[in-house]
Every structure is written in structure tokens, then in C-alpha cells.
Amino acid sequence: MQNDVILEVHNLHITLDFDGEDIPVVQGIDFELSAGKVLALVGESGCGKSVTSQALLRLLPRELRITSGQINFQAADGQAPVDFVSLAKDGKKIREIRGNQIAMIFQEPMSSFSVLHTIGNQIGEVIRLHLKASKAEARALTVELLDKVGIPDPARAVDQYPYEFSGGMRQRGMIAKALACNPSVLIADEPTTALDVTIQAQVLELLRRLKADDGMSMIFITHDLGVVAQIADDVAIMYMGRIVEKGPVGEIFGNPQHPYTVSLLNAIPRLGDLSARRELASIRGSVPSLFERPPGCAFHPRCDSFMEKLCDAQPPPLTRLSPIHEVRCFLHQAAEKEAAL
Amino acid sequence: MIRFVINRFVYMVLTMAAVSVVAFVLIQLPPGDFADSYANKRQQAGAPITAEELDNMRHQLGIDRPWFVQYGKWVSNMVLEGDMGYSWEWRRPVTDLIGERLPLTLLLAFSTLILMYVVAIPIGIYSAVRQYSATDHIFSTVGYVGLATPNFLLALILMYLGQRWFGQSVGGLFSPEYQDAPWSWPRVVNLMEHLWVPVVVLGTAGTAYLIRTIRASTLDELDKMYVMAARAGGISPMRLLLKYPVRMALNPIVATLGWRLTYVISGAPIVGVVMSLPDTGPLFLHALLNQDMYLAGGMVLIYCAFTIIGTFISDLLLVLLDPRIRMEGQA
Ligand SMILES: Nc1ncnc2c1ncn2[C@@H]1O[C@H](COP(=O)(O)OP(=O)(O)O)[C@@H](O)[C@H]1O
Ligand SMILES: [Mg+2]
């Protein structure tokens, strides 16, 4: 692994067991997360972002399974990197990492807490587990955490139940739980999608402060490129289980090369058009189902630059436009060849 | 919370009052009365009674007065003196008759309840966690058979098997030598040896149903987001299972314990009759057949009381177990 890379995904494949039939969901993705950076994973709903993020901590539900690839993690203690794929699914090794060195927050703050236990109980559980803290210590730390994420009257909130919290407060609670053991990586799966626009901005601001003040590395998943510009350093654009374009935020926004990235960027609503923010409606057609994956480049039926017998024949190989900018599209393979001539 | 309990308690008393009226009216609904059925018996025995004797008897028993007068007397005696009336058939106070047999009915009902929960909870959870495993399939099949077998048939099968393999006289709750013996340790053991048969009969269908419910609700919970969120915190699979999905899935099942008590109590009479148990079942049946009004009314009232108390317990448990409902209760 490279020097400052702490999490590296290599050629990860995930399949869905559908009544005994193996349906590919994620088809060989690669990315790296460097210390202190935020990597955004972007794509329309259903492209495999959540599945990918869950796979990182080996949290996939029964019907989904990693078929090949590596997930290498470099712990802060300087020991040799661990490949999570080689670990037992709910074994001791991966459990010591979950919530401790890598934490995760989810899209649905409303359903991410158990309704029968207090917020304090559920956050304290992680603290007592990993930090071997006593009940009282865990409680004190929980109050501190709740305060840190901006929950008013944390000493009272710690004994409250999730239904007494608003959506925004619950997501703050989730973030508090994720921060409990000072993880080196935070995986955030659409942390603001389910929230109202103003609350969205507040939660995003909270995450941005975490990055700026604490140097937290994050994998930030979203379908909203507008959000990406505000928080991420690097972006990977996903389409039907593949990363089609990847690079630094400035490069991708300023010099998008994949037709899909271009359409996504065009779909960002202008300022003041907040109500349309959540939808990426203006791309022609819709994402095909997993069971009708188009051959070749999966985006070709919706692509304005579709080239017959090329795009629908085989998946485009990776083209490195620069050391930091990669794209999977035949347009660029052709351009590269021309340049070489 | 205290307000909630008081609230429910008042409802309970009101329901009880309403039920007593309905019970009384229902008991009187069938054509004829105790005097008629007595006359009938005398007729069959070849010693018919005269119309005058019949009227006399009616007057003595008080059944020639309007029903609300009879009801008023019945209820006031019951509330003021704990006297539930007199059984004409047995020529003994109803309280004595019921008092003798009710403990056995309760023993049967509670043993059944305990068996149901003790068996169903682990199996239900196991089947959910190992969904579609061989064990899951076996439990499912056995469960369906258990659900589909009528209680009386199961009773007959078990009695036959008991007799055949254990040489036991499994009808009743005691061997003949202990039938009327005073309570002693061997008599308790003897009771236990007999009790399992009606308990199994009474509990099988309910257990099978409980297993299905627990399996389904646990499966439901396992797929919920909060379970993955808890896993993402690093908790071990076993602790996770017990703390979150199982707790969640058991909530409605523990909370309906009271209703299930109702279910076994109301199922008990039939089993009691089929297996000729010395509990309240046969007593109730005969009281109904002979139009032994106060005994039948008292029995209906007792069964209903358990239903109502069961519901009360369920309501309380629900409130204790679920913080959301607890909150509403306070508000
Ligand atoms: N548990 C599951 N069972 C069946 N299909 C699933 C499951 N989870 C995800 N999928 C499918 O996998 C694909 C990727 O899903 P997901 O990763 O949730 O997409 P998103 O990018 O919106 O987060 C979708 O087509 C979804 O329907
Ligand atoms: Mg998702």
C-alpha cells in the first residue's frame, strides 16, 4: 500500500444470491482513501454505493456476498495492513475494527437506532465494548460526544429514546456513536439524504468540521454532486457497479470526461433551485435493473456518444488521463490511441 | 404510569360488570330452566312430578321472578358476601364447587403457558437465525402438524400412547390410589406424571403458532437497519441477536401473555371433558346441560374474569416493555 493510504479497495466483486442465481452487483471496483481526505462515492440510486460501503466492514446482508477482491486497511498502529476480505464475516478481528477504527453512519437516521433502547445505551455500548469503559465512564463520554455533535442539553438527551429525537438529531446521534472510539475512517452512506434541506446543511457542516478540525478520513457516499463539492477531496463516479471516472474534485468538476459524469454535472440544480436538489432527473432514460444489465459499457443505452459495435461489445478498459484522473470510456481510449500515433 | 394503571383498573371493573349481565342473560337464553330439566329426568326415571310440584319448585328456587330481580340478588350476594349462589344439581354452594376445582384448572393453564413459552421462544429464534436449514424445516413441519391436529384427537392419541407404553391410566390427573388421598409428596409426583398429557394437548397448537410468530418477527427484525447499525459498532453476533432483534421480536409476544392465558383457560374445559379431569371443565359442561343456572353463571364469570385480567396484564406489560407506549401512557 502507498504511504498515506489507509483504506484501499482492489478489484472488489459483490454478487447477489437471487434464488440460487448469482447476479453481479459490484463488478470490480478500485479506490484508495488517504489519511485526512474525503473520498466521495457518487452515482444514481441503485448503482451499488450502499452495498459497497457495507462490504467495507463486512456488513453485507446474507443474500449479498463478496466474490473476489481485496479491502486492505492500514491501522494507525503501524502494523502490517489487513485484508478484510480474508477475515471471517462476523469474526473477532473485524469486530475489533468495526466502530473502533472504522465507523459507519447510515442513510436512514430514523431506523438506525433501536426504538427500545435509550440513545445513551446504544452509544455507550460501543464505548464499553472497545474502550473497556465502565458504565459511568461510558455515560460521561456519551454526554461529551452528544455535546460535540451539537445536541442541546446532552445530559438529558443521553437518557432519551430515539423517538424523542428529530431526524436531524438522530443523525447527529449516529455521528456521535461513530465518533465514540476516535476511528481513523468514517464511512457515511448518504448521511444527509433523508433530512430536510436546512438540516442537511447543518449535518454537512458538522461533518466538514470533523474533517477540518480532527483530520477525519471519510468515505462519503451520495447521489448529489452538489454536496460533493462542499466536502470531498476526491470523487469516484459509479454506474451499475463500476467506477466510470475517478479523480480530484476540482479535476472532475472542471474537466469531466465520462459522458455520465457530464450528465450528472448538468443535472446539478442552479442556486436557489433547492427543491429539485434531491433528484437527478435530467439524465435520459433510467438505470436498468440488475437483471437487465446492458452488455459492454452499462451506460451505453443512455449515452449521447454511443458508438455501435464498440460500446455494446465489451466493457471499456481503464484509461489514465493523468496520474490522478482515470476514466472508463471508449471515447478516451480512441483519443489516447490517436495521440500515440 | 399510575394514572394509566388506575385507568385500566376502572375499565376492568366496568367490563366485569357488563360481562356479568351478559353471562346471566346468556345462561337464561336456552328454552326451559332447571325445573324443566329436573322434571324431564324424573319423567325418564318413571316418576313424573306434577305441575303443582313444578311451580312450587320454581318458586322455591326463585326462578319465577323477573330476570333482573334474580340478577340483582345474585350480584349483590356475590359482591357483598362472596356468595355466588347455590348449585341445585349438586346441592352445594357454587363457591365451594368452583373452589375445589379451580386450582387444578389454573395449574393446568399456567403449566401450559410456561411450556408454550419455554419451548416456542428458543425454537422460534433458532429457526429464524438458521432460516431454511434442515432444523428449520423439521420444526416447521412438526409445527404445521401440531397446528392442524384438533385437541381432542391429540388427547385421545396421547391417552392411548400413555396407556400402551407407560401402562398409565392417563385419564384424570391422579392414579386411583391417590384420587382422594390427602396431599403428600407422592401425590404431587403422581399429579405431575399425569399433568403432562393435558398440558401437551392444550399447549401444542398454541406452541406451534407461537413458534411461527416468533420466527417471522425475528426474521423481520434481522433485516432492519438498526441491526446493521449495531453490527457496525462491533457487538458480537450473539449479544446483538439477544439485545436487539430478539428483544424486539419478543416484545409483542411477551406483551400478549395475558391474552394467551385467556386462550388456554378457554381451551381447558374441552380438554378437561375429553380427559375427564377433575377440574372445572366437566363441571361447566354439566352445569350448562342441566341448566344449573348459578353454577353455570359463576363459571362463565370466572372464565371471563381471567380473560379480563389477562388483557389487563398484557396492557401493563406492553407499557412496561415499549418506551413509546410508556410515553403515551404518561401523556
Ligand atoms: N439485500 C438486498 N437484496 C436484494 N438486492 C439488493 C439488496 N441490497 C441491494 N440490492 C440491490 O443491489 C443494487 C445496489 O443497491 P445499493 O447499493 O443499495 O444502491 P445505492 O447506490 O442506491 O446505495 C440495487 O439494484 C439493489 O436493488
Ligand atoms: Mg444507498
Side-chain angles (χ1 to χ4, degrees):
Chain A
M1 281 171 80
Q2 269 176 319
N3 245 343
D4 58 344
V5 172
I6 49 178
L7 188 68
E8 169 196 81
V9 170
H10 181 61
N11 200 21
L12 187 68
H13 285 78
I14 299 168
T15 59
L16 169 68
D17 179 349
F18 187 80
D19 278 342
E21 199 184 334
D22 276 350
I23 312 289
V25 178
V26 170
Q27 293 193 298
I29 61 173
D30 301 85
F31 58 80
E32 295 92 37
L33 175 68
S34 303
K37 300 283 186 192
V38 173
L39 166 71
L41 218 51
V42 185
E44 283 165 290
S45 189
C47 71
K49 306 181 296 291
S50 294
V51 166
T52 303
S53 65
Q54 290 160 11
L56 293 181
L57 277 177
R58 301 296 306 277
L59 293 171
L60 287 177
R62 277 167 296 181
E63 55 276 17
L64 287 154
R65 150 176 75 91
I66 297 176
T67 43
S68 65
Q70 293 179 357
I71 300 166
N72 295 313
F73 174 63
Q74 174 66 63
D77 57 13
Q79 296 203 335
V82 199
D83 177 7
F84 291 168
V85 178
S86 70
L87 302 180
K89 192 173 179 205
D90 276 313
K92 205 165 179 316
K93 289 233 172 73
I94 190 74
R95 281 194 273 122
E96 274 168 5
I97 290 175
R98 288 177 188 162
N100 189 16
Q101 307 196 47
I102 303 182
M104 185 158 179
I105 56 181
F106 298 86
Q107 174 167 351
E108 291 292 336
M110 291 321 235
S111 51
S112 302
F113 278 115
S114 151
V115 295
L116 297 181
H117 302 84
T118 60
I119 298 284
N121 175 316
Q122 298 180 63
I123 298 178
E125 168 187 285
V126 184
I127 299 171
R128 291 172 62 191
L129 194 68
H130 295 297
L131 306 183
K132 310 276 177 278
S134 71
K135 238 181 182 161
E137 290 165 343
R139 187 187 158 88
L141 185 53
T142 304
V143 173
E144 251 174 64
L145 286 162
L146 292 176
D147 190 40
K148 178 173 177 177
V149 298
I151 288 180
D153 199 355
R156 198 169 85 92
V158 71
D159 291 321
Q160 286 186 312
Y161 288 93
Y163 69 90
E164 297 171 82
F165 275 39
S166 67
M169 284 300 144
R170 283 192 214 186
Q171 198 58 297
R172 285 174 193 269
M174 271 315 278
I175 295 173
K177 180 179 168 189
L179 299 180
C181 303
N182 257 319
S184 48
V185 178
L186 177 65
I187 302 170
D189 183 2
E190 309 218 27
T192 60
T193 305
L195 306 174
D196 292 338
V197 181
T198 41
I199 312 290
Q200 250 182 45
Q202 292 170 6
V203 170
L204 201 62
E205 180 52 35
L206 172 63
L207 291 171
R208 211 156 56 171
R209 264 212 339 265
L210 276 180
K211 178 196 173 194
D213 301 350
D214 305 356
M216 176 79 73
S217 327
M218 280 184 227
I219 294 185
F220 190 98
I221 290 164
T222 178
H223 62 238
D224 186 350
L225 270 176
V227 172
V228 171
Q230 298 177 49
I231 190 163
D233 301 292
D234 299 291
V235 197
I237 310 282
M238 267 184 97
Y239 191 80
M240 286 203 82
R242 284 207 170 94
I243 290 177
V244 296
E245 186 164 10
K246 191 169 64 185
V249 170
E251 175 74 11
I252 300 293
F253 276 64
N255 182 25
Q257 292 301 321
H258 197 286
Y260 181 56
T261 314
V262 174
S263 356
L264 279 182
L265 283 167
N266 287 338
I268 301 181
R270 307 284 159 262
L271 216 67
D273 194 8
L274 287 174
S275 59
R277 187 95 170 226
R278 291 175 176 212
E279 300 299 327
L280 294 175
S282 61
I283 305 178
R284 180 160 57 86
S286 56
V287 186
S289 97
L290 282 181
F291 304 95
E292 294 160 355
R293 179 185 293 279
C297 171
F299 187 60
H300 82 253
R302 303 171 75 190
C303 183
D304 292 331
S305 318
F306 170 58
M307 294 174 281
E308 219 173 316
K309 297 217 173 96
L310 186 60
C311 298
D312 52 0
Q314 53 187 317
L318 184 79
T319 307
R320 229 178 266 281
L321 298 171
S322 79
I324 48 169
H325 191 167
E326 295 171 358
V327 65
R328 279 181 193 272
C329 177
F330 285 112
L331 285 175
H332 299 285
Q333 219 205 359
E336 208 176 43
K337 271 187 190 141
E338 266 167 39
L341 281 177
Chain B
M1 185 68 203
I2 291 172
R3 257 185 55 193
F4 176 84
V5 173
I6 294 173
N7 216 326
R8 282 302 144 116
F9 192 79
V10 170
Y11 271 123
M12 201 164 90
V13 172
L14 290 180
T15 319
M16 209 53 219
V19 161
S20 70
V21 177
V22 174
F24 198 80
V25 170
L26 275 182
I27 296 299
Q28 299 214 323
L29 263 187
D33 52 30
F34 179 75
D36 287 329
S37 78
Y38 178 73
N40 234 337
K41 268 190 202 154
R42 287 280 298 266
Q43 178 100 41
Q44 274 163 17
I49 55 172
T50 63
E52 200 181 331
E53 272 180 298
L54 203 60
D55 283 342
N56 260 341
M57 184 174 172
R58 285 218 167 89
H59 186 72
Q60 262 176 9
L61 296 177
I63 42 186
D64 55 346
R65 267 161 279 178
W67 72 268
F68 47 87
V69 176
Q70 298 180 44
Y71 171 77
K73 210 167 153 241
W74 184 52
V75 168
S76 60
N77 280 345
M78 195 153 39
V79 174
L80 297 178
E81 294 161 35
D83 172 14
M84 302 183 78
Y86 195 77
S87 163
W88 304 317
E89 173 79 15
W90 293 76
R91 294 172 196 278
R92 291 182 58 197
V94 170
T95 348
D96 288 3
L97 283 169
I98 295 181
E100 269 168 20
R101 289 159 171 258
L102 195 61
L104 282 178
T105 301
L106 291 184
L107 177 70
L108 179 59
F110 280 102
S111 311
T112 307
L113 261 193
I114 292 170
L115 175 90
M116 274 163 70
Y117 278 80
V118 166
V119 171
I121 291 175
I123 293 183
I125 294 168
Y126 184 88
S127 297
V129 176
R130 297 261 182 278
Q131 192 189 12
Y132 303 137
S133 68
T135 330
D136 179 28
H137 285 304
I138 291 171
F139 281 133
S140 293
T141 315
V142 173
Y144 280 127
V145 174
L147 262 181
T149 314
N151 279 354
F152 77 89
L153 187 62
L154 194 59
L156 294 177
I157 295 173
L158 282 183
M159 279 159 78
Y160 173 78
L161 290 180
Q163 199 116 22
R164 187 75 202 268
W165 301 109
F166 301 110
Q168 227 177 19
S169 61
V170 276
L173 282 177
F174 297 100
S175 307
E177 65 269 31
Y178 289 108
Q179 199 70 58
D180 296 311
W183 279 107
S184 64
W185 182 243
R187 191 168 189 245
V188 172
V189 174
N190 188 258
L191 174 65
M192 290 303 154
E193 279 171 8
H194 286 80
L195 190 64
W196 69 269
V197 183
V199 163
V200 169
V201 170
L202 197 53
T204 298
T207 308
Y209 175 79
L210 256 188
I211 291 177
R212 305 298 311 164
T213 317
I214 295 172
R215 179 179 179 275
S217 52
T218 307
L219 275 175
D220 237 32
E221 293 303 323
L222 283 175
D223 283 340
K224 295 257 171 86
M225 210 57 222
Y226 74 91
V227 174
M228 186 182 285
R231 269 176 80 210
I235 185 171
S236 77
M238 197 60 183
R239 271 189 56 190
L240 173 93
L241 178 72
L242 295 180
K243 179 170 176 185
Y244 297 109
V246 164
R247 169 73 209 285
M248 202 76 163
L250 288 191
N251 229 15
I253 284 156
V254 172
T256 50
L257 191 121
W259 299 329
R260 223 148 265 127
L261 171 68
T262 305
Y263 163 84
V264 287
I265 295 254
S266 59
I270 297 170
V271 176
V273 170
V274 172
M275 306 190 66
S276 59
L277 303 181
D279 77 337
T280 50
L283 193 66
F284 184 38
L285 183 71
H286 289 124
L288 286 176
L289 290 177
N290 296 327
Q291 307 218 15
D292 191 353
M293 203 167 81
Y294 292 118
L295 181 56
M299 297 292 312
V300 170
L301 215 51
I302 294 268
Y303 287 138
C304 288
F306 276 107
T307 310
I308 291 166
I309 293 170
T311 311
F312 179 66
I313 295 174
S314 277
D315 287 351
L316 279 189
L317 282 175
L318 258 173
V319 167
L320 288 176
L321 287 175
D322 195 321
R324 289 166 298 181
I325 304 177
R326 193 154 65 224
M327 208 57 188
E328 275 168 34
Q330 272 165 14

